[in-house]
Amino acid sequence: MGRALEHSIEQAVMFSRLGELQAWEDKCDRVYFGHEFCQRLIPSGESIRQAIDHCAEKGWQFSLITPFVTSAGIAVVQERIAALLEHAPDGLEIVVNDFGVLNWLHREHPSVTIALGRLLTKQKRGPRIMRIADRLPRNARAHFQRSNIDAAHLTAFLTEMGVQRIELDNILQGIQRDSGMQASLYYPYAYVSTTRLCLLMNGEHPNKNLRSIGTCHRECRRYDVTLTHADMPVPLKLHGNTQFFRNDKLPKDLAALNITRLVYEPHLP
């Protein structure tokens, strides 16, 4: 899981496929299972049940990750969560990346432990920031290191909605926080941008139209694309409908940032 981690920090590992979870042999405290970026990749109810059973055998706590969704997608998420809550394991947490899902959970299942996913925490993620970071005044650089999710009125709103922690990316310019909820930090992959338009869809066909939305054959499960450009300080990985960059350098003082959990991604999500 990379460098040695502080014992006081909860260690989680993220998986989007059941086989990868079942093959994991290293130590961890918690497993994240599911998908943040595509409703087509929401695990089946049977996969979720098997994942929970495997985690129970290993003594790992369980977090279900849910993506941003359409009206059709939210029905799938609601069905999965409703079935999950019938046999909820101790320490169950649901990571929410859609405000509609958050509103439904708060209304229908107010006792559920909720984490606000990294798609909703609105960090300034673009790697091009590093091209100008050294020339920025201190206050301007701090602006790019902070997230508005830590504003007092947003923290109050999230608390009212039942959110107990927020999820953050390990952005290249560093992170500043003065207050706010407990946070999780994902590494080594940070997401840059996502869309419902999946450029890998039908990408194996020579006449692929990059502006079209076709039939999903889950090409993202078979390959990804590396993107490079002179204006980008690091390569980008296009994985399905989402761009990522890799950052292996963790912040030095996690406690000062109120980061109480690290989420390791063995593979691109």
Side-chain angles (χ1 to χ4, degrees), residues 118 169-170 186-191 237 244-247 265-269:
R118 53 181 170 167
D169 270 310
N170 189 25
Y186 291 52
Y187 77 105
Y189 299 106
Y191 107 91
K237 285 286 188 181
F244 301 86
F245 63 82
R246 182 170 183 135
N247 182 11
E265 305 154 289
H267 312 282
L268 282 168

Side-chain angles (χ1 to χ4, degrees), residues 51-243:
I52 290 173
D53 289 343
H54 185 77
C55 290
E57 291 176 6
K58 296 288 188 177
W60 301 333
Q61 293 193 312
F62 185 83
S63 295
L64 178 69
I65 316 170
T66 60
F68 68 98
V69 290
T70 63
S71 296
I74 197 171
V76 177
V77 170
Q78 290 170 342
E79 185 274 330
R80 297 288 193 275
I81 291 176
L84 170 63
L85 293 179
E86 292 180 1
H87 307 283
D90 292 340
L92 171 68
E93 177 183 77
I94 297 177
V95 182
V96 171
N97 285 287
D98 186 284
F99 279 115
V101 174
L102 175 61
N103 183 57
W104 173 77
L105 271 176
H106 173 65
R107 185 179 68 248
E108 301 295 333
H109 303 285
S111 64
V112 170
T113 300
I114 302 173
L116 192 75
R118 53 181 170 167
L119 275 73
L120 300 181
T121 50
K122 303 302 181 184
Q123 292 172 282
K124 289 80 172 176
R125 294 178 168 85
R128 286 182 296 178
I129 293 170
M130 297 305 293
R131 293 293 187 191
I132 61 171
D134 291 340
R135 304 194 301 272
L136 292 173
R138 181 180 300 177
N139 289 344
R141 184 180 178 95
H143 167 76
F144 286 107
Q145 294 175 321
R146 296 180 184 274
S147 168
N148 57 5
I149 204 67
D150 285 329
H153 63 285
L154 283 177
T155 299
F157 166 75
L158 294 174
T159 300
E160 182 180 340
M161 296 296 290
V163 175
Q164 297 186 21
R165 71 167 47 241
I166 62 172
E167 311 288 280
L168 299 175
D169 270 310
N170 189 25
I171 51 179
L172 291 171
Q173 66 270 27
I175 299 171
Q176 283 198 37
R177 303 185 73 209
D178 297 325
S179 60
M181 292 184 169
Q182 293 186 73
S184 309
L185 187 69
Y186 291 52
Y187 77 105
Y189 299 106
Y191 107 91
V192 179
S193 180
T194 189
T195 173
R196 288 187 62 209
L197 176 62
C198 181
L199 295 182
L200 294 189
M201 188 181 292
N202 293 324
E204 297 170 344
H205 298 285
N207 296 322
K208 156 74 172 174
N209 180 354
L210 294 179
R211 295 184 180 275
S212 66
I213 298 178
T215 302
C216 175
H217 299 289
R218 298 196 174 189
E219 291 90 345
C220 61
R221 295 300 202 187
R222 297 191 289 277
Y223 61 88
D224 50 64
V225 177
T226 300
L227 307 172
T228 61
H229 192 277
D231 288 340
M232 281 291 173
V234 294
L236 300 182
K237 285 286 188 181
L238 175 63
H239 189 66
N241 61 347
T242 307
Q243 293 179 352

Side-chain angles (χ1 to χ4, degrees), residues 243-259:
Q243 293 179 352
F244 301 86
F245 63 82
R246 182 170 183 135
N247 182 11
D248 291 287
K249 185 178 180 181
L250 291 172
K252 292 182 179 180
D253 193 348
L254 298 175
L257 299 172
N258 202 13
I259 292 172

